Amino acid sequence: MPSGGVCGSAHERSVRSEAADLTNVVPAAVTIDRMTPLRIGLAQRNVVVGDLAGNVERISATLVDAEALRCQLVVFPELTITGYPPEDLLLKPGFVADNLAALHEVVAATAGGSCAAVVGFVDGEPGGVLHNAAALCSGGALIGTYHKRCLPNYAVFDEERYFEPGTEPLQLFDVGGVRVGLSVCEDAWVPGGPIWELGQGGAELIVNINASPYHRGKVGLRVGVIAQRAAESGCPVVYVNQVGGQDELVFDGASMVVSAAGEVAARAAQFLDELVVVDLDVPSRPRNEDRALPLISLPAPTGTEPNRPPLSSAPARPLLDPIAEVYEALVLGTHDYVTKNGFLEVVIGLSGGIDSSLVACIAADALGAHNVHGVLMPSQYSSDHSITDAEALADALDLDRRLIAIEPAYAALDALLAPSFVGRTPDLTEENLQSRIRGVLLMALSNKFGWMVLTTSNKSESAVGYSTLYGDSAGGFAVIKDVPKLLVYELCRWRNGVSVRNPAGIDVIPVNVLEKPPSAELRPDQRDDQSLPPYEVLDPIIEAYVEGDRTIAGLISAGFDEAIVRRIVRLIDLSEYKRRQFPPGPRITAKAFGKDRRLPITNAYRG
Amino acid sequence: MPSGGVCGSAHERSVRSEAADLTNVVPAAVTIDRMTPLRIGLAQRNVVVGDLAGNVERISATLVDAEALRCQLVVFPELTITGYPPEDLLLKPGFVADNLAALHEVVAATAGGSCAAVVGFVDGEPGGVLHNAAALCSGGALIGTYHKRCLPNYAVFDEERYFEPGTEPLQLFDVGGVRVGLSVCEDAWVPGGPIWELGQGGAELIVNINASPYHRGKVGLRVGVIAQRAAESGCPVVYVNQVGGQDELVFDGASMVVSAAGEVAARAAQFLDELVVVDLDVPSRPRNEDRALPLISLPAPTGTEPNRPPLSSAPARPLLDPIAEVYEALVLGTHDYVTKNGFLEVVIGLSGGIDSSLVACIAADALGAHNVHGVLMPSQYSSDHSITDAEALADALDLDRRLIAIEPAYAALDALLAPSFVGRTPDLTEENLQSRIRGVLLMALSNKFGWMVLTTSNKSESAVGYSTLYGDSAGGFAVIKDVPKLLVYELCRWRNGVSVRNPAGIDVIPVNVLEKPPSAELRPDQRDDQSLPPYEVLDPIIEAYVEGDRTIAGLISAGFDEAIVRRIVRLIDLSEYKRRQFPPGPRITAKAFGKDRRLPITNAYRG
């Protein structure tokens, strides 16, 4: 395959965003004359970016477990050694060298055992050409490597910034009598790519290691694509994904084994760090000597072949329902961002509104209620229910809470500004002032006690700029920044319903919070719908403009109201500067604000 | 040349960062039997990203001028139609379609004239494969196009996110009897690439259209590289660059004509929008019929060949000295960010320190002193000289200024926090509180009067996090965020010296500001050197770690003090989260914080 040929074409990008269509896939001819049993560990691990020593420990501990469970092969996620994505750490030659040294520790850890391991790492010369690579290690030796051929450079991915595509001839590895071919993540999203080639070359099993970030609908998309590759290659596919939060990305795991017929034969849980062991009967395939890829042997296992009583049936964890899935993504993303950055406790401004209520629930579920501090900061415009609802929520979650009425600070700042504001009437300035005082108070508590501030703006608000820069947008992590307002309601209703998060079905979020009209409460009798169209109208426009990359003309011809479209699009464009100063937050849609959507701030396009 | 072959290799990246070495370049054989005179316009224009209609107007007006000046060819920068970089606007099919329509307006504008034009645009099918392209238009017709072959995807560039490299066969255009080959920006940075191929194919003149952002030392680097391409192809090169600020990038212009012998035969000014007209005597070159590229004719000019009296000698504007160059980059970057985003006036907190003094000078030079508002915001810890120095600066620049003493707001907020802070001693919390009150006041003035807040943190501070999030880092544009502290001093001394900016050599910045020890004045007798090593020690470590991508071990072996290195590197890593919420600011070094340096926030690497 010419380097960058099949993989590099922009045509694939549109394929990726569609559900897999199996009708066009011609399965490779399969004549099953024999089944080879193989015990495989899917090491769905929560590795940490840059934590080379820690990741080596995670891998080594997993190797011990896999050995104890008598696995013959254990498969780790993409770039296991460095964590994914390492971003510009890859530009440091010293980091690449340290990653190679860490790989050799992992290789050494396979000595004396009989389980082979596939581990992701950065291959290449520090300071020179780099590859996103998979290593097959066994018996203390590095048996072989594979260099990823298809490098994603769209959406949140920048792999062409760092890596060159692999061009070396493919090879297969004999693991327990099964011919195994290696591939990495994006390789599996390309029809007729390296996985097809491995199948043509006589592979019997495809290993695909991944760091595939979550968004809504992604799991189904993946199953379809992997089923296509399985059919195309004629082999079962072992798909192992990273799990855990990394800045804005949440890796959801859901590793799986897909049979050559496209059925999910085993699945690891979503959002959980776990080692799943699967007994696979791998159908043997004929090998056309003309096209056969080189087959690399592994060192013979030392000692006698262990007794390997069959496991009970392969685990196939059920998928979460669509709302629970988003909720768990937010919980994992929040937990990992807070703890991986060295924090234990968080602080949240509780307004009695639906956004801060949801964020408080997520934080309590992620970190434990005892690590969550709620602060009520009423002003002269706050309603009574804003306090009682916030108190009810804090009590239901059993949070530490305090009340700081902001009026004295507002009065002091207002007086300082009065000489400058002579002859001017109150406007958004005074509304923002209240919001910023709250931001200052939360940051002071953060600085004094080492609590990370969680911000509560949702995606609908940050889209149209319905938030105050350095006010309600101030903080370390913006838990629901990628959650549109209507989905905020769905998540709250789900959290109040019966689930593993709420076995007794208690209304943790007061019903009044769900029922009252949304308001920022920054002036008398303010309501969101005085400034914005109803969220039932707003959210679909935002989705079509932001995620759909439509123009104004396209939105109007799709049936949206012209005046509303023009106003909302203008607000979205004008708010780019605000979003650029937002804290990070977990991505749960197919296009989040952040590195997923790189719009210029200075932008005169009005289409 | 195979697509992505020569251009796609990471090897070039290291070549790019070195000064061009002409010793390895074998000049193509040149037998000059004839010189063909050609009048060329270098249209170094300040186009605006997304402003399709405005850019068409800028191009059309330039065409009229070029026609009046009897140019035979006028050359515009890369992606003239869309401005550079359009970023994710390119993902909108509607934007690409609008850009094609805009190109056809430009083509129509060449009707009836005799001057051909090279214009940059996005070619391709909206929603399909896109190319970064150059169009040659003449006599109202689109004569031909060229698709950029070498796509930069490093540093601030993400072109592989959007474009496919060109693969079409090359061609030449007969302009006034000269065989002209087209190329785009990065094509010129690759030895043996498309420019070499054009030379081999019989080109007599290379046109290279650019959007090459400024950093210190870039102009010299460019001259070396273009001289290499001229020598390699055997042709003079007409290099036209965009000029203007676009978010964090400053395009510096400095368009030029480089002779086949590598001499700069003409040069446009740095940082100025201008049309430079050059009479070039193009040496004719023999054409090897075996390798000759197709030659495309242009429509014959209507009417009689105009009388074209020779111009006076070609303009070769002198280059600015290295400090003046940085200053002018900051002025242009600030002017364009403020005005292209619809602002006229700015507000700056004046502390009497060197950073805010420099920012005030730049703002006054960029926008006019009458558009700059200074605010003095002393606290109980402010020294007398902080006020007198700030007043002296404001008076010297003739700025509007006001004084708002922040103590009443501090007292009010302190009282609100007192119940939470019982038993705690003052620490950074209280220092940050003062800084944040200033941020709140500046933002209130901004909201009320529509003034953009300019922030004053320098690169040394933002590197090590010596700034307050939502405090002194709050604002719309961070004018000196990429300027290390020692360079801040150099710029101040330059601004006080005799120059076109200061013909009388007045000490606009009070000498005391340059001489007193730097201090944030957030606690009694505070000085920067209580928290940080001297800037003479700090700045080189930051440069080596940030711009040089060194590890701790590498820095120590380079001779830096181990304890200081470990502390500074840790501070730099820990401050990533703060920098992520910084306003944009102009890039003047080879690696600025921002999209130039994409480090994870969650990052456990300690090397």
PDB file of all heavy atoms in Angstrom, chain A residues 305-333:
ATOM      1  N   GLU A 305       2.813 -26.693  29.127  1.00  0.00           N
ATOM      2  CA  GLU A 305       1.627 -25.904  28.765  1.00  0.00           C
ATOM      3  C   GLU A 305       0.655 -25.943  29.948  1.00  0.00           C
ATOM      4  O   GLU A 305       0.324 -27.026  30.442  1.00  0.00           O
ATOM      5  CB  GLU A 305       1.009 -26.516  27.501  1.00  0.00           C
ATOM      6  CG  GLU A 305      -0.299 -25.905  27.052  1.00  0.00           C
ATOM      7  CD  GLU A 305      -0.135 -24.491  26.493  1.00  0.00           C
ATOM      8  OE1 GLU A 305       0.988 -23.933  26.514  1.00  0.00           O
ATOM      9  OE2 GLU A 305      -1.127 -23.939  26.049  1.00  0.00           O
ATOM     10  N   PRO A 306       0.244 -24.814  30.459  1.00  0.00           N
ATOM     11  CA  PRO A 306      -0.596 -24.833  31.664  1.00  0.00           C
ATOM     12  C   PRO A 306      -1.973 -25.421  31.368  1.00  0.00           C
ATOM     13  O   PRO A 306      -2.470 -25.336  30.248  1.00  0.00           O
ATOM     14  CB  PRO A 306      -0.717 -23.349  32.024  1.00  0.00           C
ATOM     15  CG  PRO A 306      -0.450 -22.619  30.768  1.00  0.00           C
ATOM     16  CD  PRO A 306       0.467 -23.475  29.943  1.00  0.00           C
ATOM     17  N   ASN A 307      -2.500 -26.009  32.392  1.00  0.00           N
ATOM     18  CA  ASN A 307      -3.884 -26.460  32.338  1.00  0.00           C
ATOM     19  C   ASN A 307      -4.765 -25.217  32.245  1.00  0.00           C
ATOM     20  O   ASN A 307      -4.559 -24.251  32.974  1.00  0.00           O
ATOM     21  CB  ASN A 307      -4.196 -27.248  33.612  1.00  0.00           C
ATOM     22  CG  ASN A 307      -5.576 -27.865  33.535  1.00  0.00           C
ATOM     23  OD1 ASN A 307      -6.149 -27.961  32.461  1.00  0.00           O
ATOM     24  ND2 ASN A 307      -6.091 -28.283  34.677  1.00  0.00           N
ATOM     25  N   ARG A 308      -5.691 -25.208  31.318  1.00  0.00           N
ATOM     26  CA  ARG A 308      -6.461 -23.981  31.088  1.00  0.00           C
ATOM     27  C   ARG A 308      -7.941 -24.330  31.043  1.00  0.00           C
ATOM     28  O   ARG A 308      -8.533 -24.436  29.961  1.00  0.00           O
ATOM     29  CB  ARG A 308      -5.985 -23.354  29.778  1.00  0.00           C
ATOM     30  CG  ARG A 308      -6.385 -21.925  29.570  1.00  0.00           C
ATOM     31  CD  ARG A 308      -5.702 -21.324  28.366  1.00  0.00           C
ATOM     32  NE  ARG A 308      -4.340 -20.904  28.631  1.00  0.00           N
ATOM     33  CZ  ARG A 308      -3.271 -21.289  27.959  1.00  0.00           C
ATOM     34  NH1 ARG A 308      -3.378 -22.137  26.970  1.00  0.00           N
ATOM     35  NH2 ARG A 308      -2.071 -20.837  28.282  1.00  0.00           N
ATOM     36  N   PRO A 309      -8.535 -24.567  32.228  1.00  0.00           N
ATOM     37  CA  PRO A 309      -9.961 -24.911  32.231  1.00  0.00           C
ATOM     38  C   PRO A 309     -10.754 -23.771  31.596  1.00  0.00           C
ATOM     39  O   PRO A 309     -10.438 -22.595  31.822  1.00  0.00           O
ATOM     40  CB  PRO A 309     -10.310 -25.055  33.718  1.00  0.00           C
ATOM     41  CG  PRO A 309      -9.148 -24.547  34.485  1.00  0.00           C
ATOM     42  CD  PRO A 309      -7.992 -24.339  33.575  1.00  0.00           C
ATOM     43  N   PRO A 310     -11.723 -24.115  30.806  1.00  0.00           N
ATOM     44  CA  PRO A 310     -12.435 -23.037  30.096  1.00  0.00           C
ATOM     45  C   PRO A 310     -13.121 -22.085  31.070  1.00  0.00           C
ATOM     46  O   PRO A 310     -13.552 -22.480  32.152  1.00  0.00           O
ATOM     47  CB  PRO A 310     -13.450 -23.789  29.234  1.00  0.00           C
ATOM     48  CG  PRO A 310     -13.521 -25.170  29.753  1.00  0.00           C
ATOM     49  CD  PRO A 310     -12.258 -25.448  30.505  1.00  0.00           C
ATOM     50  N   LEU A 311     -13.178 -20.816  30.631  1.00  0.00           N
ATOM     51  CA  LEU A 311     -13.901 -19.807  31.404  1.00  0.00           C
ATOM     52  C   LEU A 311     -15.391 -20.039  31.228  1.00  0.00           C
ATOM     53  O   LEU A 311     -15.828 -20.724  30.300  1.00  0.00           O
ATOM     54  CB  LEU A 311     -13.563 -18.414  30.878  1.00  0.00           C
ATOM     55  CG  LEU A 311     -12.102 -17.991  30.932  1.00  0.00           C
ATOM     56  CD1 LEU A 311     -11.886 -16.770  30.075  1.00  0.00           C
ATOM     57  CD2 LEU A 311     -11.705 -17.706  32.376  1.00  0.00           C
ATOM     58  N   SER A 312     -16.152 -19.454  32.106  1.00  0.00           N
ATOM     59  CA  SER A 312     -17.587 -19.393  31.826  1.00  0.00           C
ATOM     60  C   SER A 312     -17.756 -18.508  30.586  1.00  0.00           C
ATOM     61  O   SER A 312     -16.802 -17.944  30.078  1.00  0.00           O
ATOM     62  CB  SER A 312     -18.325 -18.822  33.029  1.00  0.00           C
ATOM     63  OG  SER A 312     -17.783 -17.573  33.362  1.00  0.00           O
ATOM     64  N   SER A 313     -18.935 -18.349  30.111  1.00  0.00           N
ATOM     65  CA  SER A 313     -19.147 -17.675  28.824  1.00  0.00           C
ATOM     66  C   SER A 313     -18.480 -16.295  28.816  1.00  0.00           C
ATOM     67  O   SER A 313     -18.338 -15.645  29.847  1.00  0.00           O
ATOM     68  CB  SER A 313     -20.644 -17.527  28.564  1.00  0.00           C
ATOM     69  OG  SER A 313     -21.196 -16.690  29.560  1.00  0.00           O
ATOM     70  N   ALA A 314     -18.093 -15.880  27.637  1.00  0.00           N
ATOM     71  CA  ALA A 314     -17.390 -14.604  27.489  1.00  0.00           C
ATOM     72  C   ALA A 314     -18.266 -13.464  27.986  1.00  0.00           C
ATOM     73  O   ALA A 314     -19.470 -13.446  27.731  1.00  0.00           O
ATOM     74  CB  ALA A 314     -17.041 -14.396  26.026  1.00  0.00           C
ATOM     75  N   PRO A 315     -17.669 -12.536  28.703  1.00  0.00           N
ATOM     76  CA  PRO A 315     -18.472 -11.432  29.211  1.00  0.00           C
ATOM     77  C   PRO A 315     -18.905 -10.513  28.072  1.00  0.00           C
ATOM     78  O   PRO A 315     -18.122 -10.225  27.176  1.00  0.00           O
ATOM     79  CB  PRO A 315     -17.522 -10.708  30.161  1.00  0.00           C
ATOM     80  CG  PRO A 315     -16.149 -11.059  29.678  1.00  0.00           C
ATOM     81  CD  PRO A 315     -16.247 -12.402  29.016  1.00  0.00           C
ATOM     82  N   ALA A 316     -20.122 -10.120  28.060  1.00  0.00           N
ATOM     83  CA  ALA A 316     -20.596  -9.116  27.113  1.00  0.00           C
ATOM     84  C   ALA A 316     -21.435  -8.143  27.913  1.00  0.00           C
ATOM     85  O   ALA A 316     -22.636  -8.308  28.077  1.00  0.00           O
ATOM     86  CB  ALA A 316     -21.398  -9.757  25.990  1.00  0.00           C
ATOM     87  N   ARG A 317     -20.769  -7.168  28.467  1.00  0.00           N
ATOM     88  CA  ARG A 317     -21.457  -6.212  29.332  1.00  0.00           C
ATOM     89  C   ARG A 317     -22.505  -5.452  28.507  1.00  0.00           C
ATOM     90  O   ARG A 317     -22.215  -5.029  27.386  1.00  0.00           O
ATOM     91  CB  ARG A 317     -20.470  -5.210  29.908  1.00  0.00           C
ATOM     92  CG  ARG A 317     -19.267  -5.856  30.534  1.00  0.00           C
ATOM     93  CD  ARG A 317     -19.156  -5.551  32.007  1.00  0.00           C
ATOM     94  NE  ARG A 317     -17.848  -5.959  32.491  1.00  0.00           N
ATOM     95  CZ  ARG A 317     -17.638  -7.052  33.212  1.00  0.00           C
ATOM     96  NH1 ARG A 317     -18.634  -7.855  33.544  1.00  0.00           N
ATOM     97  NH2 ARG A 317     -16.420  -7.347  33.626  1.00  0.00           N
ATOM     98  N   PRO A 318     -23.673  -5.284  29.080  1.00  0.00           N
ATOM     99  CA  PRO A 318     -24.697  -4.543  28.331  1.00  0.00           C
ATOM    100  C   PRO A 318     -24.286  -3.079  28.182  1.00  0.00           C
ATOM    101  O   PRO A 318     -23.589  -2.529  29.039  1.00  0.00           O
ATOM    102  CB  PRO A 318     -25.938  -4.674  29.215  1.00  0.00           C
ATOM    103  CG  PRO A 318     -25.425  -4.960  30.584  1.00  0.00           C
ATOM    104  CD  PRO A 318     -24.107  -5.667  30.419  1.00  0.00           C
ATOM    105  N   LEU A 319     -24.695  -2.465  27.099  1.00  0.00           N
ATOM    106  CA  LEU A 319     -24.427  -1.036  26.911  1.00  0.00           C
ATOM    107  C   LEU A 319     -25.377  -0.222  27.775  1.00  0.00           C
ATOM    108  O   LEU A 319     -26.526  -0.612  28.004  1.00  0.00           O
ATOM    109  CB  LEU A 319     -24.603  -0.662  25.441  1.00  0.00           C
ATOM    110  CG  LEU A 319     -23.577  -1.272  24.487  1.00  0.00           C
ATOM    111  CD1 LEU A 319     -23.939  -0.940  23.031  1.00  0.00           C
ATOM    112  CD2 LEU A 319     -22.170  -0.771  24.805  1.00  0.00           C
ATOM    113  N   LEU A 320     -24.889   0.904  28.237  1.00  0.00           N
ATOM    114  CA  LEU A 320     -25.731   1.809  29.017  1.00  0.00           C
ATOM    115  C   LEU A 320     -26.775   2.444  28.099  1.00  0.00           C
ATOM    116  O   LEU A 320     -26.567   2.555  26.890  1.00  0.00           O
ATOM    117  CB  LEU A 320     -24.866   2.912  29.625  1.00  0.00           C
ATOM    118  CG  LEU A 320     -23.783   2.438  30.596  1.00  0.00           C
ATOM    119  CD1 LEU A 320     -22.849   3.596  30.953  1.00  0.00           C
ATOM    120  CD2 LEU A 320     -24.426   1.874  31.865  1.00  0.00           C
ATOM    121  N   ASP A 321     -27.855   2.895  28.706  1.00  0.00           N
ATOM    122  CA  ASP A 321     -28.820   3.611  27.861  1.00  0.00           C
ATOM    123  C   ASP A 321     -28.247   4.992  27.525  1.00  0.00           C
ATOM    124  O   ASP A 321     -27.324   5.480  28.190  1.00  0.00           O
ATOM    125  CB  ASP A 321     -30.214   3.655  28.501  1.00  0.00           C
ATOM    126  CG  ASP A 321     -30.389   4.760  29.499  1.00  0.00           C
ATOM    127  OD1 ASP A 321     -30.220   5.949  29.139  1.00  0.00           O
ATOM    128  OD2 ASP A 321     -30.703   4.465  30.666  1.00  0.00           O
ATOM    129  N   PRO A 322     -28.751   5.625  26.477  1.00  0.00           N
ATOM    130  CA  PRO A 322     -28.074   6.823  25.937  1.00  0.00           C
ATOM    131  C   PRO A 322     -27.885   7.961  26.948  1.00  0.00           C
ATOM    132  O   PRO A 322     -26.883   8.675  26.871  1.00  0.00           O
ATOM    133  CB  PRO A 322     -28.992   7.251  24.787  1.00  0.00           C
ATOM    134  CG  PRO A 322     -29.682   5.993  24.363  1.00  0.00           C
ATOM    135  CD  PRO A 322     -29.860   5.185  25.610  1.00  0.00           C
ATOM    136  N   ILE A 323     -28.806   8.129  27.866  1.00  0.00           N
ATOM    137  CA  ILE A 323     -28.651   9.219  28.837  1.00  0.00           C
ATOM    138  C   ILE A 323     -27.676   8.806  29.943  1.00  0.00           C
ATOM    139  O   ILE A 323     -26.794   9.583  30.353  1.00  0.00           O
ATOM    140  CB  ILE A 323     -30.016   9.634  29.414  1.00  0.00           C
ATOM    141  CG1 ILE A 323     -30.958  10.088  28.287  1.00  0.00           C
ATOM    142  CG2 ILE A 323     -29.855  10.742  30.458  1.00  0.00           C
ATOM    143  CD1 ILE A 323     -30.474  11.266  27.493  1.00  0.00           C
ATOM    144  N   ALA A 324     -27.814   7.582  30.427  1.00  0.00           N
ATOM    145  CA  ALA A 324     -26.876   7.093  31.445  1.00  0.00           C
ATOM    146  C   ALA A 324     -25.442   7.154  30.923  1.00  0.00           C
ATOM    147  O   ALA A 324     -24.505   7.492  31.657  1.00  0.00           O
ATOM    148  CB  ALA A 324     -27.230   5.655  31.831  1.00  0.00           C
ATOM    149  N   GLU A 325     -25.288   6.848  29.648  1.00  0.00           N
ATOM    150  CA  GLU A 325     -23.965   6.857  29.023  1.00  0.00           C
ATOM    151  C   GLU A 325     -23.336   8.258  29.105  1.00  0.00           C
ATOM    152  O   GLU A 325     -22.168   8.410  29.489  1.00  0.00           O
ATOM    153  CB  GLU A 325     -24.140   6.421  27.566  1.00  0.00           C
ATOM    154  CG  GLU A 325     -22.887   6.278  26.769  1.00  0.00           C
ATOM    155  CD  GLU A 325     -23.220   5.991  25.302  1.00  0.00           C
ATOM    156  OE1 GLU A 325     -23.452   4.811  24.974  1.00  0.00           O
ATOM    157  OE2 GLU A 325     -23.239   6.933  24.496  1.00  0.00           O
ATOM    158  N   VAL A 326     -24.112   9.281  28.769  1.00  0.00           N
ATOM    159  CA  VAL A 326     -23.594  10.654  28.859  1.00  0.00           C
ATOM    160  C   VAL A 326     -23.254  10.985  30.309  1.00  0.00           C
ATOM    161  O   VAL A 326     -22.192  11.558  30.605  1.00  0.00           O
ATOM    162  CB  VAL A 326     -24.628  11.667  28.311  1.00  0.00           C
ATOM    163  CG1 VAL A 326     -24.171  13.095  28.588  1.00  0.00           C
ATOM    164  CG2 VAL A 326     -24.856  11.446  26.826  1.00  0.00           C
ATOM    165  N   TYR A 327     -24.150  10.602  31.211  1.00  0.00           N
ATOM    166  CA  TYR A 327     -23.909  10.907  32.624  1.00  0.00           C
ATOM    167  C   TYR A 327     -22.597  10.279  33.096  1.00  0.00           C
ATOM    168  O   TYR A 327     -21.766  10.937  33.740  1.00  0.00           O
ATOM    169  CB  TYR A 327     -25.089  10.410  33.478  1.00  0.00           C
ATOM    170  CG  TYR A 327     -25.035  10.936  34.895  1.00  0.00           C
ATOM    171  CD1 TYR A 327     -25.603  12.163  35.222  1.00  0.00           C
ATOM    172  CD2 TYR A 327     -24.380  10.222  35.901  1.00  0.00           C
ATOM    173  CE1 TYR A 327     -25.536  12.667  36.512  1.00  0.00           C
ATOM    174  CE2 TYR A 327     -24.305  10.714  37.190  1.00  0.00           C
ATOM    175  CZ  TYR A 327     -24.883  11.935  37.492  1.00  0.00           C
ATOM    176  OH  TYR A 327     -24.794  12.437  38.772  1.00  0.00           O
ATOM    177  N   GLU A 328     -22.389   9.016  32.742  1.00  0.00           N
ATOM    178  CA  GLU A 328     -21.166   8.339  33.187  1.00  0.00           C
ATOM    179  C   GLU A 328     -19.921   8.928  32.515  1.00  0.00           C
ATOM    180  O   GLU A 328     -18.846   8.966  33.120  1.00  0.00           O
ATOM    181  CB  GLU A 328     -21.265   6.836  32.936  1.00  0.00           C
ATOM    182  CG  GLU A 328     -22.369   6.134  33.729  1.00  0.00           C
ATOM    183  CD  GLU A 328     -22.269   6.353  35.243  1.00  0.00           C
ATOM    184  OE1 GLU A 328     -21.146   6.510  35.764  1.00  0.00           O
ATOM    185  OE2 GLU A 328     -23.332   6.372  35.908  1.00  0.00           O
ATOM    186  N   ALA A 329     -20.062   9.391  31.298  1.00  0.00           N
ATOM    187  CA  ALA A 329     -18.929  10.068  30.633  1.00  0.00           C
ATOM    188  C   ALA A 329     -18.552  11.328  31.409  1.00  0.00           C
ATOM    189  O   ALA A 329     -17.364  11.615  31.632  1.00  0.00           O
ATOM    190  CB  ALA A 329     -19.292  10.420  29.190  1.00  0.00           C
ATOM    191  N   LEU A 330     -19.560  12.069  31.854  1.00  0.00           N
ATOM    192  CA  LEU A 330     -19.295  13.299  32.600  1.00  0.00           C
ATOM    193  C   LEU A 330     -18.675  12.990  33.961  1.00  0.00           C
ATOM    194  O   LEU A 330     -17.775  13.695  34.424  1.00  0.00           O
ATOM    195  CB  LEU A 330     -20.592  14.099  32.763  1.00  0.00           C
ATOM    196  CG  LEU A 330     -21.245  14.554  31.447  1.00  0.00           C
ATOM    197  CD1 LEU A 330     -22.618  15.180  31.715  1.00  0.00           C
ATOM    198  CD2 LEU A 330     -20.354  15.550  30.700  1.00  0.00           C
ATOM    199  N   VAL A 331     -19.151  11.921  34.583  1.00  0.00           N
ATOM    200  CA  VAL A 331     -18.602  11.541  35.896  1.00  0.00           C
ATOM    201  C   VAL A 331     -17.129  11.139  35.751  1.00  0.00           C
ATOM    202  O   VAL A 331     -16.256  11.610  36.496  1.00  0.00           O
ATOM    203  CB  VAL A 331     -19.427  10.391  36.519  1.00  0.00           C
ATOM    204  CG1 VAL A 331     -18.703   9.789  37.725  1.00  0.00           C
ATOM    205  CG2 VAL A 331     -20.817  10.896  36.931  1.00  0.00           C
ATOM    206  N   LEU A 332     -16.848  10.297  34.771  1.00  0.00           N
ATOM    207  CA  LEU A 332     -15.461   9.847  34.595  1.00  0.00           C
ATOM    208  C   LEU A 332     -14.555  11.007  34.179  1.00  0.00           C
ATOM    209  O   LEU A 332     -13.446  11.168  34.702  1.00  0.00           O
ATOM    210  CB  LEU A 332     -15.405   8.723  33.545  1.00  0.00           C
ATOM    211  CG  LEU A 332     -14.007   8.174  33.229  1.00  0.00           C
ATOM    212  CD1 LEU A 332     -13.345   7.586  34.474  1.00  0.00           C
ATOM    213  CD2 LEU A 332     -14.077   7.114  32.128  1.00  0.00           C
ATOM    214  N   GLY A 333     -15.045  11.823  33.252  1.00  0.00           N
ATOM    215  CA  GLY A 333     -14.251  12.972  32.803  1.00  0.00           C
ATOM    216  C   GLY A 333     -13.919  13.902  33.960  1.00  0.00           C
ATOM    217  O   GLY A 333     -12.787  14.389  34.089  1.00  0.00           O
TER     218      GLY A 333
END
